[in-house]
Amino acid sequence: MPIPLSIPLIIHVTLTVDAKEQETCARAHVQGRGGVSLNRQLQRSLGFYFCKVGDRGAGFGKPGCNRCAEFKPDHFQLHMKAGLSWLHAASILLLIWLQINLSLAQVPLPTPAWVPPPAASGAVGSANANRPNKQWSTLLGNLIYFYDAQRSGNLTRSNRVTWRNSSLLNDGQGSADLSGGYYDAGDYIKATFPLAWTLNSICWGVLEFGNGYQDANQTAYLDSALRWGLDWLIKAHPQPNTLYVLVGDDRRDNDYWGGDQNIPTPRPVYQVNDTNPGTDVAAATSAAFSSCALVYGNKTLSSSASVPNAMVNSTYSNVLLTHSRQLLSFAVNATAGMQLYQKAVPQIADIYASSSYYDDLALASIFLGIADSSATYLQLAKTYWDKGALSQGDIALTWDDKHSAIPVLMVEALTSSSSLSSAQDVNVWKTTAEKMLDQIVAADGPGRLTSGGLLYFDGSSDAASLNPALNSAMLLIKYANLATTDSKSKDYLTFAKLQLDYVLGSNPMNMPYVVGINPNSPQNPHSAPASGGSDIGNINTSPMQEAYVLYGAVVGGPDKNDNFWDERRDWVQTEVALDYNAPLLTLVAWKVATDGNDPFYTRLQEGAYAANRPDGTSRPCSNPDVYCPNNDPYSFSQSEQIAVGVILGLGAVAILLMGLWLTYEWQKSMKKGE
C-alpha cells in the first residue's frame, strides 16, 4: 500500500514496498526543478543506489533500475536495501531533501520584506549625487515588485503584494501541472512566448549590469522573480519535444473583469509537440533558459561585468541548460519540420502570433554557443541570420521581432570569450550592429522622434509606444562600450538617456509612465486584479479610483502625438505587461551602477500631469490611424451600446419607410403609363 509523504514546495515522495522483489522503493518528483544529481558518497553512506531518469540498466554498477515505478521526466528513483525500516527510509529522504534544497536553493528573501514607498517620495530629490542613488534603487525595486503582483499559483508566506491571493492552483490539471508562472498582462492568461522573451531580456541585462541589482539590495527579489518564471517554464516543458504555450481562453478571459478569486474555469491548455511543432516558441524558450543559465553559472559578457554572487548556482544553471539544449533540438529537428507556432495552436493567433522563427533560432544558438563555448552554435546562428534575411528586417525590437538583438549579442559573444573570438568575423558583425544602431539614433526611419522626443516606429509602436523605444535604448547601452569610435559610443549613450528620461517624465504630459513612482504616475492602469472592479461595461468608472496601486508597472504609453489620457478602458495606452518592464529593468540597473544623480521624475510635483492632460477622452484604441476592432470589453459601455442600438433601429425603420414610399411611387407611375 503506498504511503504518501509530502515535503512542501520541493519534493513529493511516495514509498512503496515491492513484496516480490523484497525491496523498498522511493519515487520523488522535484517540482519545477528538472533533473537532480545526488552525491555518490551520500548514496553509499545511506545504503542505497540512485538511478537517473532513462537509466534502464545498471545504476552505478547496481542492478534493478527498472524495478520500481514508471520512468517519467523530472523524476528520479531510489532503490534501498531490503528490510529498511520506515524510520530509516524517512531519514534517508530527509537527507535527500536537505541536499536538494542546498543545491537548488534560491537567495533568501530579506526580513522584513522590501516594499515600495508611497508615490509622494518620488517627488523628493536627493541631497547629493552619491552612488547608489536611492531613487534609482527604489525604482529598480518597484519594477521587480510588479512581477510579484503578476504571479499566479500558490503564493507563499513571502508574498509581498497583500491584495493578491493564490489563484488557479489547478491549471493544466489532466495534462500537466501548469499552476504558477505569471499572468501575461492586465488579465489572466499565461503565454509562453512573451514570458520567454521577458526572462531572456532580464537575464541578458543582468549579464552586463548585475552589479546594479546588488548595489540596490534587490538581488534576492531578482532571483525570486526569475525563478518564478523559469520554474514554470520547466513545468511547461515536461518532455524534450513537448512545450505548453498557452493557458486560458483569450476570448473568455477578455469577458471577465474582476479579482483573482473568481477567474472562470476550467481553463484549456495548448501545447506544441513533435507532430505539431512551434519552431519559434521552442527556440525562444531555449534562449530564455540559456541566457538565465549564464547568470546562474556566473558567465558574464564583459570583463568588467559581474553577476551578484548570491545568485551563482551551478546546479540550477545546469538544469536550465539541459532544457535549453532539448528545446533548441526540438525546434530544429521536429518530425513535422519547422513552422510558426500559431499553425499548431491557432488559439494564440489573435494574442501573440509570431512573424518569423529565424530570429528566435539565431538568438537561441548564440546564447547556447556562449554557454557551451561552441563555435558550431555561432555558425548556426549565422546560417539562420542569412536564411531569414534578417539584415533586411524591422529594427524595432519586440517580443516577436528580435532580429535587431542578434548583431549586438553576437559581438558580445565574440569579444567576451577567447575560445569564441575567431568563430566569426567580429568586424563584420560590428558593421551590421552599428548600421542598425546608427539608424536608431538618427531617427530618420523607420523609427522617428515624436515632437516630444519619443522614438516611434509606425506599426511596432502602435500597440505599445514605450516598449520599442526602451528596447532600443537597452541595445544602445549594451553596445556602447563595444562601438568602433568614441563618438559613436557617446551618441548611443546620449540617445538612450533621452529615451529613458522621456519614459520617466521628460515628456509633454509631465508623466512618468511607471505606476506608483511619483504623484504624476498613471492612476488607472488596465489591470483586472488591481482595478478592484467587476463591471466589464464600465471599467473606467467602476470603481472611480483604482483599488490598488500596481507599483512598478510600465504602461503601454502615449500616442504618436505624445497624448496620454490615463483611462482604464484604453488598453493600448494603459495596459501593463511582463515584457514592458523588462528593458527598463536593464536601463535602471545601469543607472544604479553608474549614475548618482536622480531620475527625471523627482523634478515633477503633484499636479504636473493634470495641467497637461489632453482634453476629452481617448478612443478604445488610441491611434486614430489604426483600425480598432470593437471587441468587448474595450468597445462601448452599456449605455453607449443602447444608444447605438436605438440609432441603428431608427435608421432601419427610416430605410424601410423610404423603400415603401419608393415602391408606392413606382407603382403610381406604372399605372399612369398604362
Side-chain angles (χ1 to χ4, degrees), residues 526-567:
H526 181 95
S527 166
S531 74
S534 58
D535 184 355
I536 196 169
N538 295 287
I539 65 174
N540 267 3
T541 56
S542 178
M544 290 300 297
Q545 181 177 347
E546 200 100 352
Y548 308 107
V549 180
L550 191 57
Y551 286 104
V554 178
V555 297
D559 65 13
K560 62 172 60 177
N561 298 314
D562 301 298
N563 291 318
F564 185 82
W565 283 269
D566 195 15
E567 293 183 348

Side-chain angles (χ1 to χ4, degrees), residues 417-582:
S417 170
S418 57
S419 61
L420 295 176
S421 59
S422 59
Q424 296 279 316
D425 187 337
V426 69
N427 291 321
V428 170
W429 283 103
K430 280 193 170 188
T431 299
T432 302
E434 292 180 12
K435 178 182 178 182
M436 175 190 68
L437 297 176
D438 289 348
Q439 199 174 5
I440 288 173
V441 171
D444 56 2
R448 300 182 186 277
L449 293 181
T450 65
S451 59
L454 176 67
L455 180 65
Y456 196 101
F457 297 89
D458 283 326
S460 298
S461 298
D462 293 341
S465 62
L466 299 180
N467 189 246
L470 287 171
N471 280 326
S472 296
M474 178 187 71
L475 292 179
L476 289 166
I477 65 164
K478 287 185 69 64
Y479 187 85
N481 289 335
L482 301 170
T484 52
T485 67
D486 290 341
S487 62
K488 282 184 183 291
S489 177
K490 182 179 179 181
D491 288 345
Y492 294 165
L493 293 176
T494 298
F495 192 85
K497 185 178 182 301
L498 173 70
Q499 297 309 298
L500 181 59
D501 285 348
Y502 183 101
V503 173
L504 297 182
S506 181
N507 57 63
M509 296 289 101
N510 283 340
M511 163 75 79
Y513 289 107
V514 183
V515 178
I517 62 167
N518 179 275
N520 299 284
S521 292
Q523 303 297 307
N524 297 291
H526 181 95
S527 166
S531 74
S534 58
D535 184 355
I536 196 169
N538 295 287
I539 65 174
N540 267 3
T541 56
S542 178
M544 290 300 297
Q545 181 177 347
E546 200 100 352
Y548 308 107
V549 180
L550 191 57
Y551 286 104
V554 178
V555 297
D559 65 13
K560 62 172 60 177
N561 298 314
D562 301 298
N563 291 318
F564 185 82
W565 283 269
D566 195 15
E567 293 183 348
R568 255 175 254 147
R569 187 178 68 170
D570 192 346
W571 58 272
V572 171
Q573 292 204 338
T574 61
E575 188 159 21
V576 301
L578 299 176
D579 60 302
Y580 293 178
N581 273 48

Side-chain angles (χ1 to χ4, degrees), residues 182-437:
Y182 289 109
Y183 299 125
D184 78 305
D187 44 27
Y188 297 104
I189 66 167
K190 292 188 286 194
T192 298
F193 198 37
L195 171 62
W197 168 244
T198 298
L199 296 170
N200 186 352
S201 175
I202 295 173
C203 285
W204 189 18
V206 174
L207 294 173
E208 190 76 27
F209 305 109
N211 54 330
Y213 293 93
Q214 189 158 301
D215 292 347
N217 294 318
Q218 290 294 325
T219 299
Y221 296 113
L222 169 67
D223 178 55
S224 178
L226 288 175
R227 286 179 184 251
W228 195 270
L230 291 166
D231 287 354
W232 186 82
L233 286 180
I234 288 172
K235 293 197 293 184
H237 180 223
Q239 302 279 355
N241 291 348
T242 299
L243 179 66
Y244 286 91
V245 299
L246 177 64
V247 180
D249 182 323
D250 179 55
R251 293 179 182 275
R252 191 178 184 191
D253 196 66
N254 277 344
D255 286 338
Y256 173 72
W257 185 261
D260 57 19
Q261 295 301 282
N262 298 299
I263 304 167
T265 57
R267 285 157 50 97
V269 299
Y270 304 94
Q271 64 169 248
V272 293
N273 51 49
D274 193 49
T275 54
N276 289 287
T279 308
D280 35 22
V281 69
T285 309
S286 171
F289 279 131
S290 53
S291 59
C292 293
L294 293 174
V295 171
Y296 288 99
N298 196 24
K299 197 167 186 178
T300 62
L301 296 179
S302 74
S303 57
S304 60
S306 63
V307 170
N309 290 331
M311 289 185 66
V312 177
N313 188 313
S314 59
T315 303
Y316 193 52
S317 177
N318 288 334
V319 169
L320 300 180
L321 280 175
T322 296
H323 284 277
S324 178
R325 295 185 188 108
Q326 289 177 349
L327 281 163
L328 185 56
S329 176
F330 167 40
V332 175
N333 300 314
T335 301
M338 295 194 289
Q339 67 175 14
L340 299 177
Y341 81 126
Q342 60 262 30
K343 292 185 177 180
V345 183
Q347 293 82 358
I348 203 74
D350 292 335
I351 323 169
Y352 289 112
S354 172
S355 58
S356 171
Y357 49 72
Y358 285 112
D359 54 339
D360 297 296
L361 288 169
L363 206 65
S365 298
I366 300 174
F367 274 117
L368 264 179
I370 298 169
D372 291 347
S373 297
S374 169
T376 301
Y377 275 124
L378 297 194
Q379 182 55 50
L380 281 173
K382 175 66 165 60
T383 300
Y384 298 135
W385 174 266
D386 292 337
K387 277 189 175 182
L390 298 181
S391 62
Q392 308 301 315
D394 188 354
I395 62 174
L397 176 60
T398 66
W399 58 265
D400 172 35
D401 192 341
K402 310 175 185 80
H403 90 269
S404 57
I406 294 165
V408 173
L409 179 61
M410 183 67 88
V411 173
E412 288 182 315
L414 296 172
T415 56
S416 65
S417 170
S418 57
S419 61
L420 295 176
S421 59
S422 59
Q424 296 279 316
D425 187 337
V426 69
N427 291 321
V428 170
W429 283 103
K430 280 193 170 188
T431 299
T432 302
E434 292 180 12
K435 178 182 178 182
M436 175 190 68
L437 297 176

